[in-house]
Amino acid sequence: VYYNNAGTWELQQILQETPPVASQLIGTCSFLDTSGLMAFVGGSGNSGKVLVFTRDGTEWTLEDTLTAENPANGAGDSFGGWNTIAYENKYLVVGASGYSGSGDTGRAILFYNDDTSGWGQMATVVGETAKDNLGFSVSMYGTKVYIGAPGRNNAASLNGYVREYDISGKNFNYLTEFTANDGAATDEFGRSVSISPADGDRKSTRLNSSHLV
């Protein structure tokens, strides 16, 4: 973790497991919440994990280690891999694009941080068909979640899609699907996704988003 001290970036702390475990690929993905008090560090090695760190002053402490229930593809699940972590208001979404419930369909998992009992897995959404690789990328703002699936294997193989969900009752509720108007084979639409708040709503937890990329 680096800290900007009056315009100069300084190393604050190295975030890692204690003791470090071989082949975990910690740092494959990272996400810092807007308060700067919580950091999520993914490690896609083996079945994957996400380390949850909290900050007190200048010290970061490992609060929890999250893993997916019932990983279906062992080392190939890619839970906590590239671009797979999004957090908002105690809700954490983690993608696992290599999950192979029926052939690399991929999935995304919703966790919730209850102040009393800590982190718990609440819900899972799975790709539609084999090789969809749903969960390759995720983005979140307010209660809306956007999950990319660049591997869709249909008439235009690997043209990809992005699905929008609303989190309600600690569950994923499907809203709509985005595809490229001129989509073609190997486009891999949804390989990366990012949502921005609407102008004038930068600090609100209410969604009135204006741009999805």
Side-chain angles (χ1 to χ4, degrees):
V1 178
Y2 287 86
Y3 170 71
N4 191 329
N5 184 7
T8 300
W9 288 97
E10 300 175 351
L11 177 63
Q12 189 171 72
Q13 189 173 325
I14 296 175
L15 305 184
Q16 60 185 4
E17 291 182 290
T18 305
V21 180
S23 303
Q24 299 301 294
L25 303 180
I26 300 300
T28 306
C29 181
S30 61
F31 186 95
L32 184 68
D33 87 316
T34 55
S35 71
L37 297 175
M38 186 174 293
F40 304 88
V41 181
S44 59
N46 297 325
S47 57
K49 64 178 65 173
V50 172
L51 308 181
V52 182
F53 293 88
T54 55
R55 180 175 66 85
D56 183 6
T58 60
E59 183 177 354
W60 291 88
T61 302
L62 179 61
E63 176 186 274
D64 208 340
T65 298
L66 306 180
T67 57
E69 296 177 1
N70 305 316
N73 199 28
D77 267 12
S78 297
F79 177 88
W82 298 270
N83 303 316
T84 60
I85 300 175
Y87 172 79
E88 186 86 31
N89 295 328
K90 298 187 178 183
Y91 287 100
L92 175 71
V93 177
V94 183
S97 62
Y99 172 79
S100 60
S102 57
D104 288 349
T105 54
R107 65 176 174 174
I109 300 173
L110 175 67
F111 295 87
Y112 178 74
N113 185 8
D114 186 306
D115 290 333
T116 301
S117 56
W119 290 94
Q121 183 171 322
M122 297 289 107
T124 301
V125 61
V126 180
E128 185 176 279
T129 60
K131 304 300 182 182
D132 274 8
N133 297 126
L134 183 80
F136 196 95
S137 60
V138 299
S139 187
M140 183 177 183
Y141 181 68
T143 62
K144 299 296 190 295
V145 180
Y146 302 84
I147 305 173
R152 167 178 271 168
N153 188 17
N154 59 12
S157 180
L158 300 178
N159 61 337
Y161 62 86
V162 173
R163 286 189 171 169
E164 179 186 30
Y165 296 86
D166 182 69
I167 295 176
S168 178
K170 299 179 183 178
N171 203 356
F172 288 108
N173 296 289
Y174 173 78
L175 297 178
T176 191
E177 178 178 293
F178 300 89
T179 57
N181 292 337
D182 58 350
T186 71
D187 273 2
E188 297 189 68
F189 183 89
R191 190 176 180 89
S192 180
V193 61
S194 180
I195 183 71
S196 79
D199 293 340
D201 196 34
R202 299 287 172 178
K203 296 182 180 179
S204 174
T205 56
R206 171 183 57 82
L207 179 77
N208 183 20
S209 55
S210 58
H211 295 88
L212 174 68
V213 179

